[in-house]
Amino acid sequence: MTEPTDNAAIAVALAELRGTMAEGFATVNGTLTLLTQRHDQADRRIDAEAARIDALASAVDTLEKGETERQKRLADRVAALERARWPLPSVAAVVGVGGLALSLYQFTGR
């Protein structure tokens, strides 16, 4: 007569163990799902930052090479100003020679 009681107790213990195991697996599955979600979010953030860093590096390279439109316009403007500037050393030499010639003319004329 002790067998049915023992079988019932074993069945109850097995049911409790099954419930405990199911609860434990559900907890582990939930934790793994949360970790997977956080990992995916971190990967997306890392990819976004890597793309941002690549874009910034490309912009820096463009600036260093002087390839922006503004830099090209400024370079063209500087070149035009350099071509159009007065040749001051040449003008000074011509004025000096003219002054010398006038001085010699006046000196010989007197």
Side-chain angles (χ1 to χ4, degrees), residues 1-70:
M1 184 104 178
T2 58
E3 280 185 32
T5 308
D6 287 339
N7 286 339
I10 292 173
V12 169
L14 286 175
E16 287 177 5
L17 183 61
R18 187 179 304 127
T20 303
M21 292 293 290
E23 182 183 334
F25 283 135
T27 302
V28 169
N29 282 339
T31 304
L32 288 175
T33 302
L34 179 63
L35 289 175
T36 303
Q37 180 184 9
R38 287 182 180 172
H39 180 266
D40 292 342
Q41 288 174 350
D43 280 346
R44 284 193 297 271
R45 280 186 274 163
I46 288 170
D47 290 341
E49 288 299 318
R52 184 173 167 251
I53 288 170
D54 289 342
L56 287 175
S58 175
V60 167
D61 289 342
T62 301
L63 287 175
E64 287 177 351
K65 291 178 184 176
E67 295 177 350
T68 64
E69 290 299 319
R70 183 174 184 212

Side-chain angles (χ1 to χ4, degrees), residues 68-96:
T68 64
E69 290 299 319
R70 183 174 184 212
Q71 287 173 324
K72 290 177 184 176
R73 284 193 315 264
L74 289 176
D76 292 342
R77 185 176 175 198
V78 167
L81 287 172
E82 287 175 349
R83 282 190 302 270
R85 70 184 175 124
W86 283 72
L88 291 179
S90 302
V91 172
V94 170
V95 169

